[in-house]
Amino acid sequence: MKNTADILHAKILIVDDKRSMVVLLQRMLRGAGYVNLSTTTEPFIVCELQRLQGYDLILLDLEMPDMSGLQVIHDLMSAPTPAPPIIVISAHSEHKMSAFQAGAKDFISKPFELSEVLARIHNTLQTHLLQVETQHQVSTLEHHLHEIEEQTVSKQS
Amino acid sequence: MNSQAHRQAVEIFPASETSIPEKVTILVVDDTPDNLILMNGLLKDDYKVKVANSGDKALKIALSDAPPALILLDIMMPDIDGYEVCRRLKLDPKTMNIPVIFLTAKVEMEDEKRGLELGAVDYITKPVSPPIMLARVKNHLALQEKNIELQHARSVADKANLAKSEFLSSMSHELRSPLNAILGFAQLMESDPSLASPDQKESVAQILHAGWHLLKLINEILDLAKIESRQIPLLIEAVSMSKVILECKGMIEPQLQERARTLLLPILDSPHFVMADHTRLKQVLLNLLTNAIKYNGKQGLITITLEQEHPDRLRVGVRDTGAGMSSEQLIQLFQPFNRLNQESGKEEGTGIGLVVAKQLIELMGGKIGVESTPDVGSNFWFELNSVETDALIMEVLTS
């Protein structure tokens, strides 16, 4: 299990074209103790932000006038840098399946209950951070294994 | 003011007031030139007449950009006979609505039957009586005109209904985002420990309560709009009423305890299969049970009854010991946004639940109703087609 401090330090990006939604989610997360929060109302720059910042989680609206959230997911998924887990927040529950198919990890319908949103964010982050840690440990182990192999080879010769 | 309005009305419809109606086209099909000449002579005063001396030519004219309003069709013709022409006309969506009258020397009842079965509107045997033939043509043209008007009116109505459903659906989605902001910020305030004054807490609680109620209302309107426009696919299958009753009992247990109501179940020693959509059947029963919990007296009793009205009809009743309703109040039930809730004041409801229940039960081939006695209580019931367990087992064994 990841401890709460790790989860509260996760880097989260909030994307919604409506200022009120951004403020609501930001205050909700800040109130729950999250400290690394970024926000944008511009869906176009999400991919670039992800490349520069490497977020641990993106909260994404679907219905944005200039660029749909589905397109944002698609762009994130096809980018060279690994995509973080994405939680879609939308008033259109009929878009649930297309969001999941595009690669979203979770779907929250508007209007939502704050406690439920916080629980879902917490769970998604926990899984994601554990995954990242496991990957890190695997590559460290592989690195050690490689070193041992090289030492063995040099000793034999 | 008055005269101006009158002038405008005249200006809007000048053509229909003054113009002489254009003659409609009638196509006469016969391989005998004499018959064509005769028919042309009879019809040409009142109609624009087109003639064809073979089935092939008749089909070409019918499919052209200027199709006839009616076709008089001979049966016995070389190559393609009249029956075949009629069959092909009725197959093509472009020509299927043109009325066809057979005009033939074939007088056998079998021939007439065959012609009418192919979709012809009438069958006239030769030799024709000119006034009767003309009268029949005139009647069928009038009928056809009414048919087209009806079709048009229906398509306008269908479009309007679809537009209404789409409007309601998009409206309820558009309402969700602002409502999310209201509920979201109110929840933030509610969880804020610095919100000191009890009055402020009470205010926030009221905003939240009203907000969630509004959301329920929006969801129910959306549901009703979907049901009315038949956008909800119902999966009708044999569903065990006993199982549904037990499922609903589990779901309302907390409400029963909270309000100190007692629920009495019927003896559920057999599955009691009915033909229904499982989810929607549960929705209806839950609605009736929730109402019975809400509108019940102190220490209220709720009784579910099962009656096998006929061998193939099961009646489910939900009886309460509430205030009951007068006959005037009963009329208002099952109507959207009835005023019962406002009168009783204490309980908050949307008034849509029973409307949805009625629509759903009727879509599942059933009936819903209520009997009530003031100060004694009400009995809401619905009936559905039932399936005998034996028949069902036989079906399973033989399939």
Side-chain angles (χ1 to χ4, degrees):
Chain A
M1 290 295 268
K2 295 297 292 183
N3 63 42
T4 313
D6 283 344
I7 290 173
L8 292 179
H9 278 84
K11 291 163 92 175
I12 302 175
L13 175 66
I14 299 163
V15 189
D16 201 306
D17 63 305
K18 282 181 207 72
R19 198 70 222 152
S20 64
M21 264 301 287
V22 171
V23 172
L24 174 61
L25 289 169
Q26 200 179 15
R27 285 197 191 155
M28 175 190 80
L29 288 168
R30 207 188 289 145
Y34 289 88
V35 287
N36 276 322
L37 301 174
S38 312
T39 67
T40 178
T41 50
E42 297 294 332
F44 291 104
I45 61 168
V46 173
C47 267
E48 184 61 10
L49 282 174
Q50 172 60 25
R51 195 178 66 81
L52 295 170
Q53 302 292 328
Y55 298 107
D56 296 306
L57 177 69
I58 296 180
L59 299 177
L60 182 67
D61 180 28
L62 275 195
E63 298 81 33
M64 293 178 283
D66 300 326
M67 183 185 187
S68 91
L70 285 177
Q71 187 60 45
V72 176
I73 303 177
H74 187 260
D75 289 0
L76 282 167
M77 291 297 159
S78 47
T81 40
I86 301 160
I87 297 180
V88 166
I89 300 180
S90 167
H92 291 250
S93 49
E94 69 269 22
H95 293 160
K96 200 182 278 179
M97 276 325 287
S98 38
F100 278 126
Q101 276 157 4
K105 277 279 177 295
D106 206 347
F107 189 100
I108 294 167
S109 297
K110 280 190 222 172
F112 46 66
E113 280 188 55
L114 297 195
S115 51
E116 186 187 333
V117 178
L118 285 172
R120 285 176 189 255
I121 288 173
H122 186 274
N123 289 350
T124 308
L125 279 172
Q126 179 141 34
T127 316
H128 175 66
L129 294 178
L130 272 175
Q131 221 168 14
V132 170
E133 195 178 80
T134 315
Q135 261 162 16
H136 183 69
Q137 281 172 352
V138 167
S139 60
T140 314
L141 280 174
E142 276 174 352
H143 183 70
H144 284 319
L145 195 65
H146 191 65
E147 278 179 358
I148 292 167
E149 276 174 0
E150 275 185 353
Q151 282 169 9
T152 321
V153 170
S154 61
K155 269 181 195 165
Q156 277 173 352
S157 61
Chain B
M1 182 67 203
N2 236 349
S3 66
Q4 197 181 351
H6 179 73
R7 204 176 64 232
Q8 273 176 354
V10 173
E11 277 166 9
I12 294 168
F13 306 105
S16 60
E17 303 266 340
T18 54
S19 73
I20 302 154
E22 210 178 300
K23 280 184 182 178
V24 296
T25 309
I26 292 182
L27 172 64
V28 185
V29 190
D30 205 308
D31 61 324
T32 316
D34 283 351
N35 285 343
L36 290 176
I37 292 162
L38 171 74
M39 291 306 293
N40 186 39
L42 287 172
L43 294 164
K44 73 173 192 298
D45 286 347
D46 298 317
Y47 308 103
K48 203 174 146 188
V49 183
K50 283 187 182 176
V51 293
N53 60 7
S54 74
D56 211 27
K57 281 184 190 154
L59 287 168
K60 272 194 191 121
I61 293 170
L63 280 162
S64 71
D65 291 336
L70 184 141
I71 300 174
L72 287 166
L73 186 59
D74 183 25
I75 292 177
M76 285 178 293
M77 293 185 290
D79 296 329
I80 313 173
D81 71 7
Y83 291 135
E84 179 60 16
V85 173
C86 184
R87 197 184 65 83
R88 291 194 199 175
L89 285 170
K90 295 296 156 195
L91 275 180
D92 195 316
K94 267 178 81 179
T95 55
M96 64 192 298
N97 291 323
I98 304 174
V100 173
I101 299 176
F102 279 118
L103 202 60
T104 175
K106 286 168 85 82
V107 293
E108 295 297 321
M109 206 136 69
E110 271 306 300
D111 300 322
E112 182 168 350
K113 181 167 160 268
R114 188 177 165 196
L116 294 175
E117 276 172 359
L118 279 168
V121 292
D122 209 347
Y123 192 96
I124 303 173
T125 49
K126 292 182 203 169
V128 295
S129 143
I132 288 177
M133 193 272 297
L134 284 172
R136 285 188 173 185
V137 165
K138 198 177 157 199
N139 285 347
H140 282 298
L141 281 170
L143 258 178
Q144 175 70 355
E145 198 181 320
K146 291 283 167 224
N147 272 341
I148 290 169
E149 271 173 30
L150 261 177
Q151 272 169 16
H152 181 70
R154 191 182 164 162
S155 98
V156 169
D158 282 349
K159 272 184 201 152
N161 199 30
L162 197 68
K164 184 200 79 179
S165 301
E166 275 169 10
F167 170 77
L168 280 175
S169 163
S170 69
M171 200 57 216
S172 56
H173 281 124
E174 291 307 316
L175 290 171
R176 258 165 230 269
S177 288
L179 190 54
N180 188 55
I182 294 169
L183 283 169
F185 283 106
Q187 286 178 85
L188 269 184
M189 285 172 81
E190 187 193 33
S191 60
D192 187 348
S194 65
L195 197 71
S197 121
D199 274 1
Q200 284 175 329
K201 279 187 183 156
E202 165 69 17
S203 303
V204 172
Q206 289 290 351
I207 295 173
L208 280 170
H209 182 76
W212 289 119
H213 180 63
L214 184 56
L215 176 64
K216 197 177 164 216
L217 195 64
I218 291 170
N219 286 341
E220 288 189 355
I221 290 173
L222 183 63
D223 205 28
L224 184 63
K226 278 187 183 161
I227 293 169
E228 280 193 334
S229 61
R230 302 287 184 270
Q231 279 176 39
I232 289 186
L234 290 181
L235 178 68
I236 306 289
E237 56 185 356
V239 179
S240 161
M241 197 63 230
S242 303
K243 209 177 132 203
V244 170
I245 290 174
L246 291 174
E247 284 169 356
C248 289
K249 177 179 176 277
M251 290 170 82
I252 59 161
E253 206 74 68
Q255 294 178 56
L256 286 170
Q257 282 178 10
E258 190 189 322
R259 305 237 187 171
R261 310 284 195 233
T262 309
L263 177 69
L264 294 179
L265 296 184
I267 299 163
L268 300 172
D269 53 353
S270 75
H272 293 289
F273 284 108
V274 291
M275 294 308 289
D277 178 295
H278 184 224
T279 319
R280 294 298 176 168
L281 176 58
K282 225 160 98 178
Q283 182 182 348
V284 171
L285 186 59
L286 267 180
N287 179 268
L288 297 186
L289 287 169
T290 314
N291 286 346
I293 293 173
K294 271 195 207 168
Y295 306 104
N296 214 326
K298 271 188 182 165
Q299 306 291 314
L301 204 65
I302 298 151
T303 317
I304 302 181
T305 55
L306 285 180
E307 284 167 67
Q308 197 73 46
E309 286 285 297
H310 300 280
D312 54 356
R313 203 81 169 162
L314 184 74
R315 181 187 273 228
V316 183
V318 176
R319 191 185 299 272
D320 65 53
T321 52
M325 282 168 287
S326 66
S327 51
E328 296 89 61
Q329 286 175 313
L330 286 179
I331 297 168
Q332 287 187 43
L333 284 175
F334 303 110
Q335 307 277 343
F337 303 108
N338 67 67
R339 308 200 37 170
L340 288 187
N341 296 309
Q342 288 157 31
E343 280 166 19
S344 67
K346 207 175 76 190
E347 289 297 343
E348 194 169 55
T350 60
I352 302 176
L354 278 178
V355 186
V356 170
K358 180 172 152 71
Q359 296 253 5
L360 286 173
I361 287 292
E362 284 171 3
L363 280 176
M364 295 190 279
K367 257 169 70 181
I368 192 166
V370 59
E371 287 119 27
S372 189
T373 319
D375 302 325
V376 176
S378 308
N379 181 33
F380 284 85
W381 54 264
F382 60 86
E383 268 179 29
L384 286 168
N385 290 325
S386 59
V387 193
E388 271 185 61
T389 319
D390 289 352
L392 206 71
I393 291 168
M394 279 309 291
E395 214 171 276
V396 172
L397 288 176
T398 51
S399 65

